[in-house]
Protein backbone atom coordinates (compact mmCIF):
# COMPACT_ATOMS: atom_id res chain seq x y z
CA UNK A 1 0.00 0.00 0.00
CA UNK A 2 1.36 3.40 -1.01
CA UNK A 3 -0.23 6.65 0.14
CA UNK A 4 -0.38 9.21 -2.66
CA UNK A 5 -2.07 12.20 -0.99
CA UNK A 6 -3.54 13.34 2.29
CA UNK A 7 -5.72 16.14 3.55
CA UNK A 8 -7.35 17.06 6.83
CA UNK A 9 -11.10 17.64 6.45
CA UNK A 10 -12.82 20.44 8.33
CA UNK A 11 -14.05 18.10 11.05
CA UNK A 12 -10.51 16.83 11.68
CA UNK A 13 -10.89 13.58 9.75
CA UNK A 14 -7.69 12.57 7.98
CA UNK A 15 -8.33 11.53 4.36
CA UNK A 16 -5.57 9.67 2.54
CA UNK A 17 -5.67 8.35 -1.01
CA UNK A 18 -3.64 5.22 -1.65
CA UNK A 19 -2.84 2.65 -4.30
CA UNK A 20 -2.59 -1.07 -3.76
CA UNK A 21 -0.87 -2.31 -6.90
CA UNK A 22 -3.12 -0.91 -9.64
CA UNK A 23 -6.10 -0.44 -7.28
CA UNK A 24 -6.89 3.10 -6.05
CA UNK A 25 -8.47 3.57 -2.65
CA UNK A 26 -9.23 6.07 0.10
CA UNK A 27 -8.75 5.76 3.86
CA UNK A 28 -10.39 8.04 6.41
CA UNK A 29 -9.33 8.02 10.07
CA UNK A 30 -10.75 9.97 13.01
CA UNK A 31 -8.99 13.18 13.91
CA UNK A 32 -7.94 11.79 17.28
CA UNK A 33 -6.68 8.47 15.89
CA UNK A 34 -3.01 9.40 16.25
CA UNK A 35 -3.49 10.09 19.95
CA UNK A 36 -5.53 7.02 20.84
CA UNK A 37 -5.53 3.25 20.60
CA UNK A 38 -5.95 1.56 17.18
CA UNK A 39 -9.52 1.97 15.95
CA UNK A 40 -12.07 -0.38 14.35
CA UNK A 41 -12.53 -0.28 10.58
CA UNK A 42 -15.56 -0.14 8.30
CA UNK A 43 -15.11 -1.13 4.64
CA UNK A 44 -17.33 1.11 2.50
CA UNK A 45 -18.82 -0.73 -0.45
CA UNK A 46 -20.28 1.16 -3.40
CA UNK A 47 -21.76 0.48 -6.87
CA UNK A 48 -19.43 0.24 -9.90
CA UNK A 49 -19.81 3.90 -10.86
CA UNK A 50 -16.27 5.03 -10.00
CA UNK A 51 -14.81 6.53 -6.83
CA UNK A 52 -14.87 10.07 -8.23
CA UNK A 53 -18.61 9.93 -8.89
CA UNK A 54 -19.32 8.20 -5.56
CA UNK A 55 -16.98 10.41 -3.51
CA UNK A 56 -19.62 12.79 -2.03
CA UNK A 57 -21.63 9.90 -0.63
CA UNK A 58 -18.56 7.96 0.47
CA UNK A 59 -16.99 10.86 2.34
CA UNK A 60 -20.30 11.57 4.09
CA UNK A 61 -20.46 7.96 5.25
CA UNK A 62 -16.80 8.09 6.30
CA UNK A 63 -17.42 11.24 8.38
CA UNK A 64 -20.25 9.48 10.20
CA UNK A 65 -17.96 6.52 10.88
CA UNK A 66 -15.20 8.80 12.16
CA UNK A 67 -17.65 10.51 14.51
CA UNK A 68 -18.24 7.08 16.06
CA UNK A 69 -14.48 6.58 16.40
CA UNK A 70 -14.08 4.24 13.43
CA UNK A 71 -11.79 4.35 10.43
CA UNK A 72 -13.38 3.84 7.00
CA UNK A 73 -11.85 2.75 3.71
CA UNK A 74 -12.89 1.97 0.17
CA UNK A 75 -11.30 0.77 -3.06
CA UNK A 76 -12.14 1.15 -6.74
CA UNK A 77 -13.99 -1.82 -8.19
CA UNK A 78 -12.61 -3.76 -11.19
CA UNK A 79 -13.43 -2.08 -14.50
CA UNK A 80 -14.60 1.15 -12.84
CA UNK A 81 -13.24 4.67 -12.49
CA UNK A 82 -9.71 5.01 -13.83
CA UNK A 83 -9.07 1.26 -13.83
CA UNK A 84 -8.73 -0.56 -17.18
CA UNK A 85 -11.99 -1.19 -19.01
CA UNK A 86 -13.35 -4.70 -18.68
CA UNK A 87 -15.01 -5.82 -21.90
CA UNK A 88 -17.25 -8.49 -20.36
CA UNK A 89 -18.54 -6.07 -17.74
CA UNK A 90 -19.19 -3.40 -20.36
CA UNK A 91 -21.19 -5.89 -22.43
CA UNK A 92 -23.21 -7.02 -19.40
CA UNK A 93 -24.06 -3.41 -18.51
CA UNK A 94 -25.09 -2.74 -22.11
CA UNK A 95 -27.35 -5.80 -22.09
CA UNK A 96 -28.89 -4.65 -18.81
CA UNK A 97 -29.57 -1.14 -20.15
CA UNK A 98 -31.09 -2.57 -23.32
CA UNK A 99 -33.46 -4.82 -21.37
CA UNK A 100 -34.54 -2.07 -18.98
CA UNK A 101 -35.06 0.52 -21.71
CA UNK A 102 -37.19 -1.99 -23.62
CA UNK A 103 -39.26 -2.69 -20.50
CA UNK A 104 -38.24 -6.33 -20.60
CA UNK A 105 -37.56 -8.47 -17.52
CA UNK A 106 -33.87 -8.73 -16.66
CA UNK A 107 -32.93 -12.35 -17.28
CA UNK A 108 -30.91 -14.56 -14.96
CA UNK A 109 -28.26 -14.74 -17.68
CA UNK A 110 -27.80 -10.96 -17.69
CA UNK A 111 -27.69 -10.81 -13.88
CA UNK A 112 -25.15 -13.63 -13.69
CA UNK A 113 -22.93 -12.01 -16.35
CA UNK A 114 -23.16 -8.64 -14.59
CA UNK A 115 -22.56 -9.75 -11.00
CA UNK A 116 -20.77 -13.09 -10.67
CA UNK A 117 -17.49 -12.13 -12.45
CA UNK A 118 -17.46 -8.88 -10.46
CA UNK A 119 -17.72 -10.82 -7.19
CA UNK A 120 -14.93 -13.18 -8.26
CA UNK A 121 -12.58 -10.28 -9.06
CA UNK A 122 -13.54 -7.80 -6.34
CA UNK A 123 -13.59 -9.98 -3.23
CA UNK A 124 -9.88 -10.99 -3.33
CA UNK A 125 -9.03 -7.32 -3.87
CA UNK A 126 -11.05 -6.31 -0.81
CA UNK A 127 -9.22 -8.99 1.17
CA UNK A 128 -5.83 -7.71 -0.02
CA UNK A 129 -6.84 -4.19 0.96
CA UNK A 130 -7.91 -5.47 4.37
CA UNK A 131 -4.51 -7.12 4.84
CA UNK A 132 -2.80 -3.79 4.11
CA UNK A 133 -5.16 -1.66 6.19
CA UNK A 134 -4.90 -3.87 9.27
CA UNK A 135 -1.10 -3.64 9.08
CA UNK A 136 -1.32 0.10 9.81
CA UNK A 137 -0.66 0.98 13.45
CA UNK A 138 -3.72 3.25 13.68
CA UNK A 139 -6.16 0.48 12.70
CA UNK A 140 -6.74 -2.52 14.92
CA UNK A 141 -10.17 -3.92 14.09
CA UNK A 142 -12.71 -5.38 14.50
CA UNK A 143 -13.95 -4.88 10.94
CA UNK A 144 -17.37 -4.19 9.47
CA UNK A 145 -18.56 -4.06 5.85
CA UNK A 146 -21.16 -1.54 4.73
CA UNK A 147 -23.19 -1.07 1.54
CA UNK A 148 -22.24 -1.52 -2.07
CA UNK A 149 -23.07 -4.44 -4.35
CA UNK A 150 -24.83 -6.82 -1.99
CA UNK A 151 -23.41 -9.96 -3.65
CA UNK A 152 -19.87 -8.74 -2.92
CA UNK A 153 -20.88 -8.24 0.69
CA UNK A 154 -22.38 -11.71 0.88
CA UNK A 155 -19.22 -13.36 -0.45
CA UNK A 156 -17.02 -11.33 1.90
CA UNK A 157 -19.21 -12.25 4.87
CA UNK A 158 -18.78 -15.93 3.99
CA UNK A 159 -15.04 -16.07 3.25
CA UNK A 160 -13.55 -13.30 5.42
CA UNK A 161 -13.51 -14.14 9.16
CA UNK A 162 -12.12 -10.72 10.08
CA UNK A 163 -15.45 -9.11 9.16
CA UNK A 164 -17.67 -9.41 12.24
CA UNK A 165 -20.78 -7.44 11.14
CA UNK A 166 -22.23 -6.15 7.88
CA UNK A 167 -24.74 -3.59 6.72
CA UNK A 168 -26.30 -4.41 3.35
CA UNK A 169 -28.41 -2.32 0.98
CA UNK A 170 -30.94 -4.51 -0.82
CA UNK A 171 -30.82 -2.47 -4.01
CA UNK A 172 -28.83 -4.43 -6.56
CA UNK A 173 -29.43 -7.51 -8.70
CA UNK A 174 -28.61 -10.81 -6.99
CA UNK A 175 -27.79 -13.98 -8.95
CA UNK A 176 -29.63 -17.11 -7.84
CA UNK A 177 -26.32 -18.72 -6.87
CA UNK A 178 -25.80 -16.07 -4.20
CA UNK A 179 -28.89 -17.22 -2.32
CA UNK A 180 -27.08 -20.43 -1.39
CA UNK A 181 -24.09 -18.42 -0.19
CA UNK A 182 -26.44 -16.23 1.84
CA UNK A 183 -27.40 -19.29 3.88
CA UNK A 184 -23.75 -19.54 4.95
CA UNK A 185 -23.66 -15.99 6.34
CA UNK A 186 -23.68 -16.10 10.15
CA UNK A 187 -22.44 -12.66 11.26
CA UNK A 188 -24.89 -9.98 12.52
CA UNK A 189 -26.62 -8.17 9.65
CA UNK A 190 -28.38 -4.84 9.22
CA UNK A 191 -30.27 -4.84 5.90
CA UNK A 192 -31.81 -1.71 4.39
CA UNK A 193 -34.64 -2.04 1.84
CA UNK A 194 -36.35 0.79 -0.02
CA UNK A 195 -39.89 -0.52 -0.44
CA UNK A 196 -40.55 1.23 -3.76
CA UNK A 197 -37.07 0.81 -5.27
CA UNK A 198 -37.75 1.01 -9.00
CA UNK A 199 -34.73 -1.09 -9.95
CA UNK A 200 -35.04 -3.76 -7.29
CA UNK A 201 -37.21 -6.87 -7.07
CA UNK A 202 -38.79 -6.43 -3.64
CA UNK A 203 -39.82 -10.06 -3.28
CA UNK A 204 -36.34 -11.25 -4.24
CA UNK A 205 -34.89 -8.91 -1.60
CA UNK A 206 -37.26 -10.34 1.02
CA UNK A 207 -36.38 -13.88 -0.04
CA UNK A 208 -32.69 -13.06 0.26
CA UNK A 209 -33.17 -11.67 3.76
CA UNK A 210 -35.00 -14.85 4.70
CA UNK A 211 -32.12 -16.93 3.32
CA UNK A 212 -29.43 -15.32 5.47
CA UNK A 213 -28.22 -17.78 8.10
CA UNK A 214 -27.44 -15.13 10.73
CA UNK A 215 -29.07 -15.47 14.13
CA UNK A 216 -29.07 -11.69 14.41
CA UNK A 217 -30.43 -10.02 11.29
CA UNK A 218 -32.58 -6.92 11.09
CA UNK A 219 -34.51 -5.65 8.07
CA UNK A 220 -35.16 -1.90 7.90
CA UNK A 221 -37.75 -1.21 5.19
CA UNK A 222 -38.61 2.39 4.31
CA UNK A 223 -41.08 3.80 1.85
CA UNK A 224 -39.56 5.46 -1.20
CA UNK A 225 -37.36 4.79 -4.20
CA UNK A 226 -33.71 3.86 -4.58
CA UNK A 227 -32.38 7.34 -3.77
CA UNK A 228 -34.99 8.17 -1.12
CA UNK A 229 -33.20 6.65 1.86
CA UNK A 230 -34.16 8.71 4.93
CA UNK A 231 -31.41 10.29 7.00
CA UNK A 232 -32.38 8.36 10.11
CA UNK A 233 -31.61 5.12 8.28
CA UNK A 234 -27.95 6.09 8.38
CA UNK A 235 -28.23 6.75 12.11
CA UNK A 236 -29.73 3.29 12.62
CA UNK A 237 -26.83 1.73 10.71
CA UNK A 238 -24.34 3.71 12.79
CA UNK A 239 -25.92 2.32 15.94
CA UNK A 240 -25.64 -1.21 14.57
CA UNK A 241 -21.92 -0.85 13.93
CA UNK A 242 -21.37 0.85 17.29
CA UNK A 243 -22.86 -2.22 19.00
CA UNK A 244 -20.70 -4.71 17.11
CA UNK A 245 -17.37 -2.93 16.55
CA UNK A 246 -16.79 -1.39 19.96
Amino acid sequence: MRFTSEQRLDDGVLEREFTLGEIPGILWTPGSASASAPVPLILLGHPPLGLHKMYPRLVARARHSAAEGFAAATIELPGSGDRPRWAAAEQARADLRRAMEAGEPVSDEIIDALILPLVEKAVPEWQAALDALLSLPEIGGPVGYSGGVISIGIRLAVVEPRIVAAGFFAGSFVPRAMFEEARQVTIPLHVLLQWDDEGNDRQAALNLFDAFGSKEKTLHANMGGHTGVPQFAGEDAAGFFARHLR
Side-chain angles (χ1 to χ4, degrees), residues 182-219:
R183 295 183 174 89
Q184 303 173 48
V185 174
T186 58
I187 60 174
L189 296 179
H190 177 101
V191 182
L192 176 64
L193 170 65
Q194 287 300 102
W195 201 249
D196 305 303
D197 192 331
E198 55 281 0
N200 189 37
D201 183 330
R202 182 198 302 162
Q203 190 57 54
L206 294 173
N207 292 344
L208 180 64
F209 180 79
D210 190 45
F212 286 125
S214 304
K215 290 183 179 179
E216 180 188 334
K217 55 179 180 179
T218 305
L219 179 68

Coordinates of all heavy atoms in Angstrom, one line a residue, residues 182-219:
A182 N -25.8 -17.0 0.8 CA -26.4 -16.2 1.8 C -26.8 -17.1 3.0 O -26.7 -16.7 4.2 CB -27.7 -15.5 1.3
R183 N -27.1 -18.4 2.8 CA -27.4 -19.3 3.9 C -26.2 -19.6 4.8 O -26.3 -20.0 5.9 CB -28.0 -20.6 3.3 CG -29.3 -20.4 2.6 CD -30.0 -21.7 2.1 NE -31.3 -21.4 1.6 CZ -31.6 -21.1 0.4 NH1 -30.6 -21.0 -0.5 NH2 -32.8 -20.9 0.0
Q184 N -25.0 -19.3 4.2 CA -23.7 -19.5 5.0 C -23.3 -18.3 5.8 O -22.3 -18.4 6.5 CB -22.6 -19.9 4.0 CG -22.9 -21.2 3.1 CD -21.8 -21.4 2.1 OE1 -20.6 -21.3 2.4 NE2 -22.2 -21.6 0.9
V185 N -24.0 -17.2 5.6 CA -23.7 -16.0 6.3 C -24.2 -16.1 7.8 O -25.4 -16.4 8.0 CB -24.3 -14.7 5.7 CG1 -24.0 -13.5 6.5 CG2 -23.7 -14.5 4.3
T186 N -23.3 -15.9 8.7 CA -23.7 -16.1 10.1 C -23.4 -14.9 11.0 O -23.8 -14.8 12.2 CB -22.9 -17.3 10.8 OG1 -21.5 -17.1 10.7 CG2 -23.3 -18.6 10.1
I187 N -22.7 -13.8 10.5 CA -22.4 -12.7 11.3 C -23.7 -11.8 11.4 O -24.6 -11.9 10.6 CB -21.3 -11.8 10.6 CG1 -21.7 -11.4 9.2 CG2 -20.0 -12.6 10.6 CD1 -20.7 -10.4 8.6
P188 N -23.8 -10.9 12.4 CA -24.9 -10.0 12.5 C -25.1 -9.1 11.3 O -24.1 -8.6 10.7 CB -24.5 -9.1 13.7 CG -23.6 -10.0 14.5 CD -22.8 -10.8 13.5
L189 N -26.3 -8.9 10.9 CA -26.6 -8.2 9.6 C -27.6 -7.1 9.9 O -28.6 -7.3 10.7 CB -27.2 -9.1 8.6 CG -26.3 -10.2 8.0 CD1 -27.1 -11.0 7.0 CD2 -25.0 -9.7 7.4
H190 N -27.4 -6.0 9.2 CA -28.4 -4.8 9.2 C -28.7 -4.6 7.7 O -27.8 -4.2 7.0 CB -27.7 -3.6 9.9 CG -28.6 -2.4 9.8 ND1 -29.3 -1.9 10.9 CD2 -28.8 -1.5 8.8 CE1 -29.9 -0.8 10.6 NE2 -29.7 -0.5 9.4
V191 N -29.9 -4.9 7.3 CA -30.3 -4.8 5.9 C -31.3 -3.7 5.7 O -32.3 -3.7 6.3 CB -30.9 -6.2 5.4 CG1 -31.2 -6.1 3.9 CG2 -29.9 -7.3 5.7
L192 N -30.9 -2.8 4.7 CA -31.8 -1.7 4.4 C -32.5 -2.0 3.1 O -31.9 -2.4 2.1 CB -31.0 -0.4 4.3 CG -31.7 0.8 3.8 CD1 -32.8 1.2 4.8 CD2 -30.7 2.0 3.6
L193 N -33.8 -1.8 3.1 CA -34.6 -2.0 1.8 C -35.5 -0.8 1.6 O -36.3 -0.4 2.5 CB -35.5 -3.3 2.0 CG -36.6 -3.6 0.9 CD1 -35.9 -3.8 -0.4 CD2 -37.5 -4.7 1.4
Q194 N -35.4 -0.2 0.4 CA -36.3 0.8 0.0 C -37.5 0.1 -0.7 O -37.4 -0.5 -1.7 CB -35.7 1.8 -1.0 CG -34.7 2.7 -0.3 CD -35.3 3.6 0.8 OE1 -35.2 3.3 2.0 NE2 -36.0 4.6 0.3
W195 N -38.7 0.3 -0.1 CA -39.9 -0.5 -0.4 C -40.3 -0.3 -1.9 O -40.8 -1.2 -2.5 CB -41.0 -0.2 0.5 CG -42.1 -1.2 0.6 CD1 -43.4 -1.1 0.1 CD2 -42.0 -2.5 1.1 NE1 -44.1 -2.3 0.3 CE2 -43.2 -3.2 1.0 CE3 -41.0 -3.2 1.8 CZ2 -43.5 -4.4 1.4 CZ3 -41.2 -4.5 2.2 CH2 -42.5 -5.1 2.1
D196 N -40.1 0.9 -2.4 CA -40.5 1.2 -3.8 C -39.4 1.4 -4.7 O -39.5 2.1 -5.7 CB -41.4 2.5 -3.7 CG -42.5 2.4 -2.8 OD1 -43.4 1.5 -2.9 OD2 -42.6 3.3 -1.8
D197 N -38.3 0.7 -4.4 CA -37.1 0.8 -5.3 C -37.4 0.3 -6.7 O -37.7 -0.8 -6.9 CB -36.0 -0.1 -4.7 CG -34.6 0.2 -5.3 OD1 -34.6 0.6 -6.5 OD2 -33.6 0.0 -4.6
E198 N -37.3 1.3 -7.6 CA -37.8 1.0 -9.0 C -36.9 0.0 -9.7 O -37.3 -0.7 -10.7 CB -37.8 2.3 -9.8 CG -36.5 3.1 -9.8 CD -36.2 3.9 -8.6 OE1 -37.0 3.9 -7.6 OE2 -35.2 4.6 -8.5
G199 N -35.6 -0.2 -9.3 CA -34.7 -1.1 -10.0 C -34.5 -2.4 -9.2 O -33.6 -3.2 -9.6
N200 N -35.3 -2.6 -8.2 CA -35.0 -3.8 -7.3 C -36.3 -4.6 -7.2 O -37.4 -4.1 -7.1 CB -34.6 -3.3 -5.9 CG -34.1 -4.4 -5.0 OD1 -33.5 -5.3 -5.5 ND2 -34.4 -4.3 -3.7
D201 N -36.1 -5.9 -7.2 CA -37.2 -6.9 -7.1 C -37.4 -7.0 -5.6 O -36.7 -7.7 -4.9 CB -36.8 -8.2 -7.7 CG -38.0 -9.2 -7.7 OD1 -38.8 -9.2 -6.7 OD2 -38.0 -10.1 -8.6
R202 N -38.5 -6.4 -5.1 CA -38.8 -6.4 -3.6 C -38.9 -7.8 -3.1 O -38.3 -8.2 -2.0 CB -40.1 -5.6 -3.3 CG -40.4 -5.6 -1.8 CD -41.8 -5.2 -1.6 NE -42.1 -3.9 -2.2 CZ -43.4 -3.5 -2.5 NH1 -44.4 -4.3 -2.2 NH2 -43.6 -2.3 -3.0
Q203 N -39.6 -8.7 -3.8 CA -39.8 -10.1 -3.3 C -38.5 -10.8 -3.2 O -38.2 -11.6 -2.3 CB -40.8 -10.8 -4.1 CG -41.3 -12.2 -3.5 CD -41.8 -12.0 -2.1 OE1 -42.8 -11.2 -1.9 NE2 -41.3 -12.7 -1.1
A204 N -37.7 -10.6 -4.3 CA -36.3 -11.2 -4.2 C -35.5 -10.8 -3.1 O -34.8 -11.5 -2.4 CB -35.6 -11.0 -5.6
A205 N -35.6 -9.5 -2.7 CA -34.9 -8.9 -1.6 C -35.4 -9.5 -0.3 O -34.6 -9.8 0.6 CB -35.0 -7.4 -1.6
L206 N -36.7 -9.7 -0.2 CA -37.3 -10.3 1.0 C -36.8 -11.8 1.1 O -36.5 -12.3 2.2 CB -38.8 -10.2 1.0 CG -39.3 -8.8 1.1 CD1 -40.9 -8.8 0.9 CD2 -39.0 -8.2 2.5
N207 N -36.8 -12.5 0.0 CA -36.4 -13.9 0.0 C -34.9 -14.0 0.4 O -34.5 -14.9 1.1 CB -36.6 -14.5 -1.4 CG -38.1 -14.7 -1.8 OD1 -38.9 -14.6 -0.9 ND2 -38.3 -14.8 -3.0
L208 N -34.1 -13.0 -0.1 CA -32.7 -13.1 0.3 C -32.5 -12.8 1.8 O -31.7 -13.5 2.4 CB -31.9 -12.0 -0.5 CG -30.4 -11.9 -0.3 CD1 -29.7 -13.1 -0.7 CD2 -29.9 -10.6 -1.0
F209 N -33.3 -11.9 2.3 CA -33.2 -11.7 3.8 C -33.5 -12.9 4.5 O -32.9 -13.3 5.5 CB -34.1 -10.5 4.2 CG -34.1 -10.2 5.6 CD1 -33.0 -9.5 6.2 CD2 -35.1 -10.7 6.5 CE1 -33.0 -9.2 7.6 CE2 -35.0 -10.4 7.8 CZ -34.0 -9.7 8.4
D210 N -34.6 -13.6 4.1 CA -35.0 -14.9 4.7 C -33.9 -15.9 4.6 O -33.8 -16.7 5.5 CB -36.3 -15.3 4.0 CG -36.9 -16.5 4.8 OD1 -37.0 -16.4 6.0 OD2 -37.3 -17.5 4.2
A211 N -33.1 -15.9 3.5 CA -32.1 -16.9 3.3 C -30.9 -16.8 4.2 O -30.2 -17.7 4.5 CB -31.7 -16.9 1.9
F212 N -30.6 -15.5 4.7 CA -29.4 -15.3 5.5 C -29.5 -16.2 6.7 O -30.5 -16.3 7.4 CB -29.3 -13.9 5.9 CG -28.9 -12.9 4.8 CD1 -29.6 -11.8 4.5 CD2 -27.7 -13.2 4.1 CE1 -29.2 -10.9 3.5 CE2 -27.3 -12.3 3.1 CZ -28.1 -11.2 2.8
G213 N -28.3 -16.8 7.0 CA -28.2 -17.8 8.1 C -27.9 -17.1 9.4 O -27.8 -17.8 10.4
S214 N -27.8 -15.8 9.5 CA -27.4 -15.1 10.7 C -28.5 -15.2 11.8 O -29.7 -15.1 11.5 CB -27.2 -13.7 10.4 OG -26.2 -13.5 9.4
K215 N -28.1 -15.5 13.0 CA -29.1 -15.5 14.1 C -29.6 -14.1 14.4 O -30.7 -13.9 14.9 CB -28.4 -16.1 15.4 CG -28.2 -17.6 15.3 CD -27.6 -18.1 16.5 CE -27.4 -19.7 16.4 NZ -26.8 -20.2 17.7
E216 N -28.7 -13.1 14.2 CA -29.1 -11.7 14.4 C -29.1 -11.0 13.0 O -28.0 -10.8 12.4 CB -28.1 -10.9 15.3 CG -28.5 -9.5 15.5 CD -27.5 -8.6 16.2 OE1 -26.7 -9.1 17.0 OE2 -27.5 -7.4 16.0
K217 N -30.3 -10.7 12.6 CA -30.4 -10.0 11.3 C -31.7 -9.1 11.4 O -32.7 -9.6 11.9 CB -30.5 -11.0 10.1 CG -31.7 -12.0 10.2 CD -31.7 -12.9 9.0 CE -32.8 -14.0 9.1 NZ -32.8 -14.9 7.9
T218 N -31.5 -7.9 11.0 CA -32.6 -6.9 11.1 C -32.8 -6.3 9.7 O -31.9 -5.9 9.0 CB -32.2 -5.8 12.1 OG1 -31.8 -6.4 13.3 CG2 -33.4 -4.8 12.3
L219 N -34.1 -6.3 9.3 CA -34.5 -5.7 8.1 C -35.2 -4.3 8.4 O -36.1 -4.2 9.1 CB -35.5 -6.6 7.3 CG -36.0 -6.0 6.0 CD1 -34.9 -6.0 5.0 CD2 -37.2 -6.9 5.5

